[in-house]
Amino acid sequence: MSRSEPSPLASARRRILTLAWPIILSNITVPLLGLVDTAVVGHLPDSRYLAAVTLGATLFSFLYWGFGFLRMGTTGLTSQAVGRENDSDVRNLLGQSLLLAAGIGAALILFSRPLIALGLWLLGGSEVATALAAEYAEIRILSAPAVLANYAILGWFLGQQNSRVTLAILVLTNGVNIVLDLLFVVGLGMTSDGVAWATVIADYSAFAFGLWLVSRQLRWLSGRFLRSRLLALAAYGELFSVNANLFVRTLGLLFAMAFFTSRGAAQGDTVLAANAVLLQFIMLTSYALDGFAHAAEAIAGRAVGRRRWDEFGQAVKSAAWLSLVTAGAAALAFALGGQWLIALLTGLPEVRTTAASYLPWMVLMPLIAVWSYLLDGVFIGATAIREMRNSIFAGLAVYLPAWWLAQAVLPETLTNHGLWLAFTLFTLVRSATLIAYYRRRRRTDWCVKPAGPLAAK
């Protein structure tokens, strides 16, 4: 290798950065839309509309997060097909994922009434706000097929190491949504229903744009769509297996988050609000770490498909280095500027004071959680989903007893510290479990096998 040529590790690091930055920018657009929704509805004369949109948006955040496996599973399988240089598999995985998204989306619309009623009952809220939220949700559920199909399209492109499509689609979605928010609510005098219709139209606009991008990409792929792959249930075995484990894993993660929120709420509105502010710190960190994890998915998956374990190791090392630098920067930022960030997020003195007392947990969290973000991406790329699922349940097995013990031992003034301790242990055990699985798989499956006696002859 000449001096002018970068080392394989430096090349892998550059590739990770190239894939990660559009994803990080895409993530930043998500809270921007929430801010516009809040600002538009928050200026209506009655606060019940803001409460309704908040309830409805929360419901769909949890609902669609639960079906995020369509993005993750499609990325892992597609990246491996790319590594095998099997264009036919790349094509048919897209077709299968889109058909699966259409089926789930149609089922969500069909059973929308009981699903919405159950979700809003679990969220709570005043009778008036809940009634308006139900109206909002019955409109928004109409976009379910488009939202889930967009997950499949984003996963398919990311599996081909094209992350700029993610940025393009999300910028379009959020741009259309913001313009229509202003048109329907400010211009036409609609209320929470206007916000819902703006989101539905934006989701289908993004879907149409995504299909156009897909049609362009398909011109570069050989092979064709096979009826036997698209219409035979048996052909979906691998996709169902990967997605089922991802779905169970996501349900476990949702339970952990919901349990944390409910136990905070049981301590009063001030603690609930303080915890909500601090969870935004975790979300801020995730916007960057997810970018590196998604990049690791695509590159590691391609290496698995090619059986190039040297490339696999370089991708993981590069993503780990960038993730650790980012996590360290986040921890330092929270240590030095945490109180300023809290003041930026809330103007309530009692919430500021309460949140500040739990800042040490925020400094610790990025350094622990970084491994779960990174290795989730690696395991998705390698479609080693059972290990991801198991890490969640290992974490829960420590999380719940730790919370119970903390409540029994600690005085009431430290109850929320006990909750944060339990949640931190959940994250720590999850990260440690994934590290242990990774080390084992790296020694056994994800490595160059030594030649046996017969091969030596």
Side-chain angles (χ1 to χ4, degrees):
M1 182 187 297
S2 67
R3 290 185 180 180
S4 60
E5 292 179 355
S7 68
L9 199 59
S11 297
R13 195 173 295 165
R14 187 178 299 115
R15 187 63 187 150
I16 291 283
L17 278 171
T18 301
L19 284 172
W21 75 258
I23 298 168
I24 295 169
L25 284 181
S26 303
N27 289 340
I28 292 171
T29 69
V30 175
L32 175 64
L33 176 61
L35 288 172
V36 173
D37 279 350
T38 301
V40 168
V41 185
H43 283 86
L44 292 174
D46 197 319
S47 63
R48 61 182 177 170
Y49 297 117
L50 178 57
V53 169
T54 301
L55 284 173
T58 302
L59 171 64
F60 282 96
S61 293
F62 280 103
L63 181 64
Y64 290 147
W65 192 21
F67 292 104
F69 60 78
L70 283 165
R71 203 280 307 158
M72 294 183 281
T74 304
T75 297
L77 293 171
T78 300
S79 62
Q80 291 184 24
V82 169
R84 296 192 302 269
E85 298 182 0
N86 191 326
D87 285 359
S88 181
D89 277 358
V90 174
R91 280 179 173 271
N92 286 287
L93 277 166
L94 172 67
Q96 288 179 326
S97 296
L98 287 176
L99 287 173
L100 186 59
I104 296 172
L108 288 175
I109 292 174
L110 184 63
F111 298 104
S112 60
R113 288 287 178 96
L115 280 173
I116 290 168
L118 175 62
L120 293 177
W121 175 75
L122 289 172
L123 287 172
S126 69
E127 187 176 338
V128 173
T130 299
L132 284 170
E135 179 187 346
Y136 168 94
E138 285 170 8
I139 297 169
R140 267 206 64 180
I141 197 70
L142 297 175
S143 68
V147 171
L148 301 186
N150 287 335
Y151 285 173
I153 290 171
L154 292 174
W156 187 69
F157 274 107
L158 185 56
Q160 297 172 79
Q161 298 189 26
N162 187 341
S163 59
R164 296 190 182 192
V165 165
T166 302
L167 179 60
I169 289 178
L170 285 179
V171 166
L172 174 76
T173 307
N174 293 335
V176 171
N177 207 333
I178 288 168
V179 170
L180 293 180
D181 268 350
L182 296 171
L183 174 64
F184 292 162
V185 179
V186 179
L188 300 180
M190 299 173 73
T191 57
S192 49
D193 59 333
V195 175
W197 280 117
T199 304
V200 170
I201 296 170
D203 288 334
Y204 278 102
S205 299
F207 178 48
F209 179 54
L211 287 180
W212 178 72
L213 293 172
V214 164
S215 68
R216 293 180 63 197
Q217 182 69 10
L218 289 174
R219 297 173 195 165
W220 297 96
L221 298 176
S222 61
R224 58 190 178 86
F225 289 107
L226 301 174
R227 181 175 295 183
S228 60
R229 289 284 303 275
L230 300 180
L231 301 182
L233 196 61
Y236 284 75
E238 187 178 22
L239 193 63
F240 281 151
S241 175
V242 167
N243 286 338
N245 281 304
L246 280 170
F247 183 58
V248 172
R249 169 255 184 197
T250 304
L251 287 180
L253 195 53
L254 282 170
F255 171 79
M257 297 299 295
F259 183 84
F260 181 87
T261 301
S262 69
R263 293 305 86 205
Q267 299 174 64
D269 289 345
T270 300
V271 170
L272 174 62
N275 285 350
V277 167
L278 294 175
L279 285 174
Q280 294 306 308
F281 284 48
I282 296 174
M283 291 300 297
L284 284 170
T285 307
S286 75
Y287 292 149
L289 295 180
D290 270 347
F292 301 125
H294 290 351
E297 285 177 37
I299 298 177
R302 181 173 178 268
V304 169
R306 298 177 68 191
R307 319 304 290 174
R308 289 292 304 270
W309 302 115
D310 54 337
E311 290 181 13
F312 180 86
Q314 288 159 9
V316 175
K317 286 179 183 177
S318 300
W321 187 86
L322 292 165
S323 296
L324 281 170
V325 169
T326 303
L332 185 62
F334 297 156
L336 300 178
Q339 299 213 24
W340 177 82
L341 279 171
I342 290 170
L344 193 65
L345 292 170
T346 178
L348 299 171
E350 66 275 15
V351 175
R352 286 185 181 183
T353 303
T354 303
S357 65
Y358 304 113
L359 264 178
W361 297 110
M362 294 303 96
V363 176
L364 186 62
M365 187 64 74
L367 303 174
I368 294 173
V370 59
W371 298 107
S372 58
Y373 285 105
L374 169 66
L375 291 176
D376 268 357
V378 173
F379 279 78
I380 288 169
T383 58
I385 310 303
R386 287 190 179 90
E387 286 87 343
M388 290 175 61
R389 178 201 64 193
N390 293 347
S391 74
I392 291 292
F393 290 104
L396 289 174
V398 173
Y399 179 32
L400 299 178
W403 170 81
W404 179 84
L405 184 63
Q407 307 312 297
V409 172
L410 294 175
E412 188 174 348
T413 54
L414 298 178
T415 296
N416 202 49
H417 278 290
L419 180 59
W420 276 107
L421 171 64
F423 188 70
T424 303
L425 287 174
F426 164 74
T427 306
L428 177 64
V429 170
R430 186 176 161 225
S431 292
T433 303
L434 287 171
I435 290 171
Y437 274 130
Y438 176 78
R439 289 169 64 87
R440 189 182 76 179
R441 294 293 294 269
R442 197 76 173 95
R443 289 194 305 268
T444 56
D445 302 322
W446 300 339
C447 62
V448 178
K449 301 292 193 301
L454 293 177
K457 294 179 183 178

